[in-house]
Amino acid sequence: MFGSSRSRHRITTALAGFTLFATAAALQVGTAAAPAHAATTYRVLFDDGHAEEAGNADWIISTSKPDPLSQDSTPSSETDWTGALSSWGVALQKTGSYSLKTATSALTYGGSSTTDLSKFDALVLPEPNTLFTTAEKTAIMNFVKNGGGLFMVSDHTGADRNNDGEDAVEIFNDLMTNNSVDSTDPFGFSIDTLDISSGYPAAISDSTNPVLHGSFGTVTKSLIADGTTATLKPSDNSAVKGLVYRSGYSGNTGAFFATSTFGSGRVAFWGDSSPIDDGTGQSGNTLYDGWNDTGATNAALALNATAWLAGGGTSGGGGGGGGGTCTAAQLLGNPGFESGNTTWTGSSGVITNSSGEAARTGSYKAWLDGYGSAHTDTLSQSVTIPSGCSATLSFYLHVDTAETTTSTAYDKLTVTAGSTTLATYSNLNAASGYVLKSFDVSSLAGTTATVKFSGVEGSTLQTSFVLDDTALNVS
């Protein structure tokens, strides 16, 4: 209900404090179908169902589909498999830690097909040239939200290889802005409509980042040969991080390679398909060897990123710690508030089934502030995050306000995890519905930390901060 003040007496029962113990009995495991990470085998699906072989493109690891092992079960060189991405595939296969497949039909999640996304840890989209259907976008987004890794390899604007009116820039931006799961900048970046003719974008200095410094080598530079970049929006997703930048750019612009998280999953973006082209492939295609370009370290970048996305590398897409073995789980108790005033500690009346503000799912939500007078509400829960885990805190937020200003933040909601402030929202973030917020909190692995929401309202004109469907997923 837009702009309406709430009664102070909807619920008078105080919230009971409760701390989660670091035992298996205290963990509430989510019921969503999350990709299960095998002990030694990481499952990677390369897409070839969206014109990835159109024109001169040959973005496949092998002509044998879905299983490249049918072409050669023990490949030792890039030519043992046929495709411009064969070097990528063979390098992973030779480690003995990866199971690779190629999808040639519609992408699904939660189905029974051998290439259903629920059977994989990471999905590689190497310059798709046809739009994903509504059902496919739902499948991809839910796959990532529930723990999957998504590798988006774009190309320059206008690279419409099959002449259907769509290029990879438009297709990826459509995926991120026109899906049924979260269309409000879920990954924290958008792809620029640019055609950058050439360059060697440089990696940032971050010795702890597993994508730049992983088991496959150290990344120093990449290659642009008609490509594009991304604009980062950390206010939408604080986990987004640029790792490789176009010359002369830094911060939120000119990111040639970027990572982020969504839900409990991971995302990587690369602005050109030239770096993954190994120069080999099917006859009739004009290919170039960017994979082995001596001025860049493209192979290390592709392989380290694949390992990180699939769970084979340590955490750190948005900058975190951890690494090692972790059992996937959802750690927050009463995450959707449907058990009422349990598990969480906070102000009286915050967890409520009042009809004044709608829950996103179920009947209950957490409603902070909304009184139209000076007021402070808090809500918190202590949680133990196991060592060796990648951890993501997520929640849905609806901000409803009677404030009319477009420039002054009178009422604020601050989100913290441990001693770290993750985000601050205000009356300026008002929107008609719930928006998913997601934060990488992997740096808290091995500690017991308090997740806390603090809402402070000014003296006049209400602002309501309404939360639902929280989660702290580890993998």
Side-chain angles (χ1 to χ4, degrees), residues 123-196:
L123 168 66
V124 180
L125 300 176
E127 195 196 336
N129 252 251
T130 59
L131 286 167
F132 298 106
T133 66
T134 299
E136 286 181 311
K137 288 185 285 188
T138 299
I140 294 169
M141 296 298 291
N142 278 328
F143 167 69
V144 181
K145 181 181 177 182
N146 291 330
L150 177 63
F151 205 149
M152 305 163 66
V153 181
S154 185
D155 202 359
H156 62 89
T157 189
D160 181 8
R161 298 179 184 271
N162 61 344
N163 299 312
D164 70 342
E166 306 291 345
D167 57 40
V169 173
E170 295 167 318
I171 292 164
F172 283 136
N173 281 335
D174 177 72
L175 169 65
M176 295 185 289
T177 62
N178 184 26
N179 68 79
S180 64
V181 178
D182 187 341
S183 295
T184 58
D185 193 22
F187 305 153
F189 66 84
S190 60
I191 302 175
D192 304 323
T193 54
L194 297 174
D195 184 351
I196 305 164

Coordinates of all heavy atoms in Angstrom, one line a residue, residues 123-196:
L123 N 27.7 -23.3 -16.9 CA 27.2 -23.2 -18.3 C 28.0 -22.1 -19.0 O 28.1 -21.0 -18.5 CB 25.7 -22.8 -18.3 CG 25.1 -22.4 -19.6 CD1 25.1 -23.5 -20.6 CD2 23.7 -21.8 -19.4
V124 N 28.5 -22.5 -20.2 CA 29.3 -21.6 -21.0 C 28.4 -21.2 -22.2 O 27.9 -22.0 -22.9 CB 30.6 -22.2 -21.5 CG1 31.4 -21.2 -22.4 CG2 31.5 -22.6 -20.3
L125 N 28.2 -19.9 -22.3 CA 27.4 -19.3 -23.5 C 28.4 -18.6 -24.4 O 28.7 -17.4 -24.2 CB 26.3 -18.4 -23.0 CG 25.3 -19.0 -22.0 CD1 24.3 -18.0 -21.6 CD2 24.5 -20.1 -22.8
P126 N 29.0 -19.2 -25.4 CA 30.0 -18.6 -26.2 C 29.5 -17.9 -27.4 O 29.3 -18.4 -28.5 CB 30.9 -19.8 -26.6 CG 29.9 -21.0 -26.7 CD 28.8 -20.7 -25.7
E127 N 29.2 -16.6 -27.2 CA 28.6 -15.7 -28.2 C 27.4 -16.3 -28.9 O 27.4 -16.6 -30.0 CB 29.7 -15.4 -29.3 CG 29.2 -14.2 -30.1 CD 30.0 -14.0 -31.4 OE1 31.2 -14.5 -31.5 OE2 29.5 -13.4 -32.4
P128 N 26.3 -16.4 -28.1 CA 25.0 -16.9 -28.7 C 24.5 -15.8 -29.8 O 24.7 -14.6 -29.6 CB 24.1 -16.9 -27.5 CG 24.7 -16.0 -26.5 CD 26.1 -16.1 -26.7
N129 N 23.9 -16.3 -30.8 CA 23.4 -15.4 -31.8 C 21.9 -15.5 -32.1 O 21.4 -15.0 -33.1 CB 24.2 -15.6 -33.1 CG 25.1 -14.5 -33.4 OD1 24.9 -13.7 -34.4 ND2 26.2 -14.4 -32.6
T130 N 21.2 -16.2 -31.2 CA 19.7 -16.2 -31.3 C 19.2 -15.9 -29.8 O 19.9 -16.4 -28.9 CB 19.1 -17.5 -31.8 OG1 19.5 -18.6 -31.0 CG2 19.5 -17.7 -33.2
L131 N 18.1 -15.2 -29.7 CA 17.6 -14.9 -28.4 C 17.2 -16.2 -27.6 O 16.7 -17.2 -28.2 CB 16.3 -14.0 -28.5 CG 16.5 -12.6 -28.9 CD1 15.2 -11.9 -29.3 CD2 17.2 -11.8 -27.8
F132 N 17.4 -16.1 -26.3 CA 16.9 -17.2 -25.5 C 15.4 -17.0 -25.3 O 14.9 -15.9 -25.2 CB 17.5 -17.2 -24.1 CG 19.0 -17.4 -24.2 CD1 19.9 -16.3 -24.0 CD2 19.6 -18.6 -24.4 CE1 21.3 -16.5 -24.0 CE2 20.9 -18.8 -24.5 CZ 21.8 -17.7 -24.3
T133 N 14.7 -18.1 -25.3 CA 13.2 -18.1 -25.1 C 12.9 -17.7 -23.7 O 13.8 -17.7 -22.8 CB 12.6 -19.4 -25.4 OG1 13.0 -20.4 -24.5 CG2 12.9 -19.9 -26.8
T134 N 11.7 -17.4 -23.4 CA 11.2 -17.0 -22.1 C 11.5 -18.2 -21.1 O 12.1 -18.0 -20.0 CB 9.7 -16.7 -22.0 OG1 9.5 -15.6 -22.9 CG2 9.3 -16.4 -20.6
A135 N 11.3 -19.4 -21.6 CA 11.5 -20.6 -20.7 C 13.0 -20.8 -20.5 O 13.4 -21.1 -19.4 CB 10.9 -21.8 -21.3
E136 N 13.8 -20.5 -21.5 CA 15.3 -20.7 -21.3 C 15.8 -19.7 -20.4 O 16.7 -20.0 -19.6 CB 15.9 -20.6 -22.7 CG 15.7 -21.8 -23.6 CD 16.5 -21.6 -24.9 OE1 16.3 -20.6 -25.6 OE2 17.2 -22.6 -25.3
K137 N 15.4 -18.4 -20.5 CA 15.8 -17.4 -19.6 C 15.5 -17.7 -18.1 O 16.3 -17.5 -17.2 CB 15.3 -16.0 -20.0 CG 15.9 -15.5 -21.3 CD 15.5 -14.1 -21.6 CE 14.1 -14.1 -22.1 NZ 13.7 -12.7 -22.6
T138 N 14.3 -18.3 -17.9 CA 13.9 -18.7 -16.6 C 14.9 -19.8 -16.1 O 15.3 -19.8 -14.9 CB 12.5 -19.2 -16.5 OG1 11.6 -18.1 -16.9 CG2 12.1 -19.7 -15.2
A139 N 15.2 -20.7 -17.0 CA 16.0 -21.9 -16.6 C 17.4 -21.4 -16.3 O 18.0 -21.8 -15.3 CB 16.1 -22.9 -17.8
I140 N 18.0 -20.5 -17.1 CA 19.3 -20.0 -16.9 C 19.4 -19.2 -15.5 O 20.3 -19.5 -14.7 CB 19.8 -19.1 -18.0 CG1 19.9 -19.9 -19.3 CG2 21.1 -18.4 -17.7 CD1 20.1 -19.1 -20.5
M141 N 18.5 -18.4 -15.3 CA 18.5 -17.5 -14.1 C 18.3 -18.4 -12.8 O 19.0 -18.2 -11.8 CB 17.5 -16.4 -14.2 CG 17.7 -15.4 -15.3 SD 19.2 -14.5 -15.2 CE 18.9 -13.5 -13.7
N142 N 17.4 -19.3 -12.9 CA 17.2 -20.2 -11.7 C 18.4 -21.1 -11.5 O 18.8 -21.4 -10.4 CB 16.0 -21.1 -11.9 CG 14.7 -20.3 -11.5 OD1 14.7 -19.5 -10.7 ND2 13.6 -20.6 -12.2
F143 N 19.1 -21.5 -12.6 CA 20.3 -22.3 -12.5 C 21.4 -21.6 -11.7 O 22.0 -22.1 -10.8 CB 20.8 -22.7 -13.9 CG 22.2 -23.2 -13.9 CD1 22.5 -24.5 -13.4 CD2 23.2 -22.5 -14.5 CE1 23.8 -25.0 -13.5 CE2 24.5 -23.0 -14.6 CZ 24.8 -24.2 -14.1
V144 N 21.6 -20.3 -12.0 CA 22.6 -19.5 -11.3 C 22.1 -19.2 -9.9 O 22.9 -19.3 -9.0 CB 22.8 -18.2 -12.1 CG1 23.9 -17.3 -11.4 CG2 23.3 -18.4 -13.5
K145 N 20.9 -18.8 -9.8 CA 20.4 -18.5 -8.4 C 20.5 -19.6 -7.5 O 20.8 -19.4 -6.3 CB 18.9 -18.1 -8.6 CG 18.2 -17.7 -7.2 CD 16.7 -17.4 -7.5 CE 16.0 -17.1 -6.2 NZ 14.6 -16.8 -6.4
N146 N 20.4 -20.8 -8.0 CA 20.5 -22.0 -7.1 C 21.9 -22.6 -7.0 O 22.1 -23.7 -6.5 CB 19.5 -23.1 -7.5 CG 18.1 -22.6 -7.3 OD1 17.8 -21.9 -6.4 ND2 17.2 -23.1 -8.1
G147 N 22.9 -21.9 -7.5 CA 24.3 -22.3 -7.3 C 25.1 -22.6 -8.5 O 26.3 -22.9 -8.4
G148 N 24.6 -22.4 -9.7 CA 25.3 -22.7 -10.9 C 26.2 -21.5 -11.3 O 26.1 -20.4 -10.9
G149 N 27.2 -21.8 -12.2 CA 28.1 -20.8 -12.7 C 27.8 -20.5 -14.1 O 27.5 -21.4 -14.9
L150 N 27.7 -19.2 -14.5 CA 27.3 -18.8 -15.8 C 28.5 -18.0 -16.5 O 28.9 -17.0 -15.9 CB 26.1 -17.9 -15.8 CG 25.6 -17.3 -17.1 CD1 25.2 -18.4 -18.1 CD2 24.5 -16.3 -16.9
F151 N 29.0 -18.5 -17.6 CA 30.1 -17.8 -18.3 C 29.5 -17.2 -19.6 O 29.1 -17.9 -20.5 CB 31.1 -18.8 -18.7 CG 32.5 -18.3 -18.9 CD1 33.6 -19.0 -18.6 CD2 32.7 -17.0 -19.4 CE1 34.9 -18.5 -18.8 CE2 34.0 -16.5 -19.5 CZ 35.1 -17.3 -19.2
M152 N 29.4 -15.9 -19.7 CA 28.9 -15.1 -20.8 C 30.0 -14.5 -21.6 O 30.7 -13.6 -21.2 CB 28.0 -14.0 -20.3 CG 26.9 -14.5 -19.3 SD 26.1 -13.1 -18.4 CE 25.3 -12.2 -19.6
V153 N 30.2 -15.1 -22.8 CA 31.2 -14.6 -23.7 C 30.5 -13.8 -24.8 O 29.7 -14.4 -25.6 CB 32.0 -15.7 -24.4 CG1 33.1 -15.1 -25.3 CG2 32.7 -16.5 -23.3
S154 N 30.7 -12.5 -24.9 CA 30.0 -11.6 -25.9 C 30.9 -11.4 -27.1 O 32.0 -12.0 -27.3 CB 29.6 -10.3 -25.2 OG 28.9 -9.5 -26.0
D155 N 30.5 -10.5 -27.9 CA 31.3 -10.0 -29.0 C 30.8 -8.6 -29.2 O 30.0 -8.1 -28.5 CB 31.0 -10.8 -30.3 CG 32.2 -10.7 -31.3 OD1 33.1 -9.9 -31.0 OD2 32.1 -11.3 -32.4
H156 N 31.4 -7.9 -30.2 CA 31.0 -6.5 -30.4 C 29.6 -6.3 -30.9 O 29.0 -7.2 -31.4 CB 32.0 -5.8 -31.4 CG 31.9 -6.5 -32.8 ND1 31.1 -6.0 -33.8 CD2 32.6 -7.5 -33.3 CE1 31.2 -6.7 -34.9 NE2 32.2 -7.6 -34.6
T157 N 29.1 -5.1 -30.7 CA 27.7 -4.8 -31.2 C 27.7 -4.9 -32.7 O 28.7 -4.5 -33.4 CB 27.3 -3.4 -30.7 OG1 25.9 -3.2 -31.1 CG2 28.1 -2.3 -31.4
G158 N 26.7 -5.4 -33.3 CA 26.6 -5.6 -34.7 C 27.1 -6.9 -35.2 O 27.0 -7.2 -36.4
A159 N 27.6 -7.8 -34.3 CA 28.1 -9.1 -34.7 C 27.0 -10.1 -34.9 O 26.9 -11.1 -34.1 CB 29.2 -9.6 -33.8
D160 N 26.1 -9.8 -35.8 CA 24.9 -10.6 -36.1 C 25.3 -11.7 -37.1 O 25.0 -11.5 -38.3 CB 23.8 -9.7 -36.5 CG 22.5 -10.5 -36.8 OD1 22.4 -11.7 -36.5 OD2 21.5 -9.9 -37.3
R161 N 25.8 -12.8 -36.7 CA 26.4 -13.8 -37.6 C 25.4 -14.5 -38.5 O 25.7 -15.0 -39.5 CB 27.3 -14.7 -36.9 CG 28.5 -14.1 -36.2 CD 29.3 -15.1 -35.4 NE 30.4 -14.5 -34.7 CZ 31.6 -14.3 -35.1 NH1 31.9 -14.6 -36.4 NH2 32.5 -13.7 -34.3
N162 N 24.1 -14.6 -38.0 CA 23.1 -15.3 -38.7 C 22.1 -14.4 -39.3 O 21.0 -14.8 -39.8 CB 22.5 -16.4 -37.9 CG 21.8 -15.8 -36.6 OD1 22.0 -14.6 -36.3 ND2 20.9 -16.6 -36.0
N163 N 22.3 -13.1 -39.2 CA 21.4 -12.1 -39.8 C 20.0 -12.2 -39.4 O 19.0 -12.0 -40.2 CB 21.5 -12.1 -41.3 CG 22.9 -11.9 -41.8 OD1 23.6 -10.9 -41.4 ND2 23.4 -12.7 -42.7
D164 N 19.8 -12.4 -38.1 CA 18.4 -12.5 -37.6 C 18.0 -11.2 -36.8 O 16.9 -11.2 -36.2 CB 18.2 -13.7 -36.7 CG 19.0 -13.6 -35.3 OD1 19.9 -12.8 -35.2 OD2 18.7 -14.4 -34.4
G165 N 18.9 -10.2 -36.8 CA 18.6 -9.0 -36.1 C 19.1 -8.9 -34.7 O 18.8 -7.9 -34.0
E166 N 19.7 -10.0 -34.2 CA 20.2 -10.0 -32.8 C 21.6 -10.4 -32.8 O 22.1 -11.2 -33.5 CB 19.4 -11.0 -32.0 CG 17.9 -10.9 -32.1 CD 17.4 -9.6 -31.3 OE1 18.2 -9.1 -30.6 OE2 16.2 -9.3 -31.5
D167 N 22.4 -9.7 -31.9 CA 23.8 -10.0 -31.7 C 23.9 -10.4 -30.2 O 23.0 -10.3 -29.4 CB 24.7 -8.9 -32.1 CG 24.4 -7.6 -31.4 OD1 24.1 -7.6 -30.2 OD2 24.5 -6.5 -32.0
A168 N 25.1 -10.8 -29.8 CA 25.4 -11.3 -28.4 C 25.1 -10.2 -27.4 O 24.6 -10.5 -26.3 CB 26.8 -11.9 -28.3
V169 N 25.5 -9.0 -27.8 CA 25.2 -7.9 -26.8 C 23.8 -7.7 -26.5 O 23.4 -7.7 -25.3 CB 25.8 -6.5 -27.4 CG1 25.4 -5.4 -26.5 CG2 27.3 -6.6 -27.6
E170 N 22.9 -7.7 -27.5 CA 21.5 -7.6 -27.3 C 20.9 -8.8 -26.6 O 20.0 -8.7 -25.7 CB 20.8 -7.4 -28.7 CG 21.2 -6.1 -29.4 CD 20.7 -6.1 -30.8 OE1 20.9 -7.1 -31.5 OE2 20.3 -5.1 -31.3
I171 N 21.4 -10.0 -26.9 CA 20.9 -11.3 -26.4 C 21.2 -11.3 -24.9 O 20.4 -11.7 -24.1 CB 21.5 -12.5 -27.1 CG1 20.9 -12.5 -28.5 CG2 21.2 -13.8 -26.4 CD1 21.7 -13.4 -29.5
F172 N 22.5 -11.0 -24.5 CA 22.8 -11.0 -23.0 C 22.1 -9.9 -22.3 O 21.6 -10.2 -21.1 CB 24.3 -10.9 -22.9 CG 25.1 -12.2 -23.2 CD1 26.2 -12.1 -23.9 CD2 24.6 -13.4 -22.7 CE1 27.0 -13.3 -24.2 CE2 25.3 -14.6 -23.0 CZ 26.5 -14.5 -23.7
N173 N 22.0 -8.7 -22.8 CA 21.2 -7.7 -22.1 C 19.8 -8.0 -22.0 O 19.1 -7.7 -21.0 CB 21.4 -6.4 -22.9 CG 22.7 -5.7 -22.6 OD1 23.3 -5.9 -21.5 ND2 23.2 -4.9 -23.5
D174 N 19.2 -8.7 -23.0 CA 17.8 -9.2 -22.9 C 17.7 -10.2 -21.8 O 16.7 -10.2 -21.0 CB 17.4 -9.8 -24.2 CG 16.0 -10.4 -24.2 OD1 15.0 -9.6 -24.1 OD2 15.9 -11.6 -24.2
L175 N 18.7 -11.1 -21.7 CA 18.6 -12.1 -20.6 C 18.6 -11.5 -19.2 O 17.8 -11.9 -18.4 CB 19.9 -13.0 -20.7 CG 20.1 -14.0 -19.5 CD1 19.0 -15.0 -19.4 CD2 21.5 -14.7 -19.7
M176 N 19.4 -10.4 -19.1 CA 19.5 -9.8 -17.7 C 18.4 -8.8 -17.4 O 18.1 -8.5 -16.3 CB 20.8 -9.1 -17.7 CG 22.0 -10.0 -17.7 SD 23.6 -9.2 -17.5 CE 23.8 -8.3 -19.0
T177 N 17.7 -8.3 -18.4 CA 16.6 -7.3 -18.2 C 15.2 -7.8 -18.5 O 14.3 -7.0 -18.3 CB 16.9 -6.0 -19.0 OG1 16.9 -6.4 -20.4 CG2 18.3 -5.5 -18.7
N178 N 15.1 -9.0 -19.1 CA 13.7 -9.4 -19.5 C 13.5 -10.9 -19.2 O 13.4 -11.7 -20.1 CB 13.6 -9.1 -21.0 CG 12.2 -9.5 -21.6 OD1 11.2 -9.5 -20.8 ND2 12.1 -9.8 -22.8
N179 N 13.6 -11.2 -17.9 CA 13.4 -12.6 -17.5 C 12.4 -12.6 -16.3 O 12.1 -11.6 -15.7 CB 14.7 -13.2 -17.1 CG 15.3 -12.6 -15.8 OD1 14.9 -12.9 -14.7 ND2 16.3 -11.7 -16.0
S180 N 11.9 -13.8 -16.0 CA 10.8 -13.9 -15.0 C 11.4 -14.1 -13.6 O 10.6 -14.1 -12.7 CB 9.9 -15.1 -15.4 OG 10.7 -16.3 -15.3
V181 N 12.7 -14.2 -13.5 CA 13.3 -14.4 -12.1 C 13.7 -13.1 -11.5 O 13.3 -12.9 -10.3 CB 14.5 -15.4 -12.3 CG1 15.1 -15.6 -10.9 CG2 14.0 -16.7 -12.9
D182 N 14.5 -12.3 -12.2 CA 14.9 -11.0 -11.7 C 15.4 -10.2 -12.8 O 16.5 -10.5 -13.4 CB 16.0 -11.2 -10.6 CG 16.3 -9.8 -9.9 OD1 16.0 -8.8 -10.5 OD2 16.9 -9.9 -8.8
S183 N 14.7 -9.1 -13.2 CA 15.1 -8.3 -14.3 C 15.6 -6.9 -13.8 O 15.7 -6.0 -14.6 CB 13.9 -8.1 -15.2 OG 13.5 -9.3 -15.8
T184 N 15.9 -6.8 -12.6 CA 16.4 -5.5 -12.0 C 17.9 -5.5 -11.8 O 18.4 -5.4 -10.7 CB 15.7 -5.2 -10.7 OG1 16.0 -6.3 -9.7 CG2 14.2 -5.2 -10.8
D185 N 18.6 -5.7 -13.0 CA 20.0 -5.7 -13.0 C 20.6 -6.7 -12.0 O 21.3 -6.4 -11.1 CB 20.6 -4.3 -12.6 CG 22.1 -4.1 -13.0 OD1 22.6 -4.9 -13.8 OD2 22.7 -3.2 -12.4
P186 N 20.2 -8.0 -12.2 CA 20.6 -9.0 -11.2 C 22.1 -9.2 -11.0 O 22.5 -9.5 -9.9 CB 19.9 -10.2 -11.7 CG 19.8 -10.0 -13.2 CD 19.5 -8.5 -13.3
F187 N 22.9 -9.0 -12.0 CA 24.3 -9.3 -11.9 C 25.1 -8.0 -11.6 O 26.3 -8.1 -11.4 CB 24.8 -9.9 -13.2 CG 24.1 -11.2 -13.6 CD1 24.1 -11.6 -14.9 CD2 23.5 -12.0 -12.7 CE1 23.4 -12.7 -15.3 CE2 22.8 -13.1 -13.1 CZ 22.7 -13.5 -14.4
G188 N 24.5 -6.9 -11.7 CA 25.2 -5.6 -11.5 C 26.0 -5.1 -12.6 O 26.9 -4.3 -12.4
F189 N 25.7 -5.4 -13.8 CA 26.3 -4.9 -15.0 C 25.5 -4.9 -16.2 O 24.5 -5.8 -16.3 CB 27.7 -5.5 -15.2 CG 27.6 -7.0 -15.7 CD1 27.4 -7.3 -17.0 CD2 27.8 -8.0 -14.7 CE1 27.4 -8.7 -17.4 CE2 27.8 -9.3 -15.1 CZ 27.5 -9.7 -16.5
S190 N 25.8 -4.1 -17.2 CA 25.1 -4.2 -18.5 C 26.2 -4.1 -19.6 O 27.3 -3.6 -19.3 CB 24.2 -3.0 -18.7 OG 24.9 -1.7 -18.6
I191 N 26.0 -4.7 -20.7 CA 27.0 -4.8 -21.8 C 26.9 -3.6 -22.7 O 25.8 -3.3 -23.2 CB 26.9 -6.1 -22.5 CG1 27.0 -7.3 -21.5 CG2 27.9 -6.3 -23.6 CD1 26.7 -8.7 -22.1
D192 N 28.0 -3.0 -23.0 CA 28.0 -1.8 -23.8 C 27.8 -2.1 -25.3 O 28.4 -3.1 -25.8 CB 29.3 -1.0 -23.6 CG 29.6 -0.7 -22.1 OD1 28.6 -0.4 -21.4 OD2 30.8 -0.8 -21.7
T193 N 27.1 -1.2 -26.0 CA 26.9 -1.4 -27.4 C 28.1 -0.7 -28.1 O 28.0 0.4 -28.7 CB 25.6 -0.7 -27.9 OG1 25.5 0.6 -27.4 CG2 24.4 -1.5 -27.3
L194 N 29.2 -1.4 -28.1 CA 30.5 -0.9 -28.7 C 31.1 -1.9 -29.6 O 30.8 -3.1 -29.5 CB 31.5 -0.5 -27.6 CG 31.1 0.6 -26.6 CD1 32.2 0.6 -25.5 CD2 31.0 1.9 -27.3
D195 N 31.9 -1.4 -30.5 CA 32.8 -2.2 -31.4 C 34.2 -1.6 -31.2 O 34.6 -0.7 -31.9 CB 32.3 -2.2 -32.8 CG 33.2 -3.1 -33.7 OD1 34.2 -3.7 -33.2 OD2 32.8 -3.3 -34.9
I196 N 35.0 -2.2 -30.3 CA 36.3 -1.8 -30.1 C 37.3 -2.6 -31.0 O 37.3 -3.8 -30.8 CB 36.7 -1.9 -28.6 CG1 35.7 -1.2 -27.7 CG2 38.1 -1.4 -28.3 CD1 35.7 -1.6 -26.3

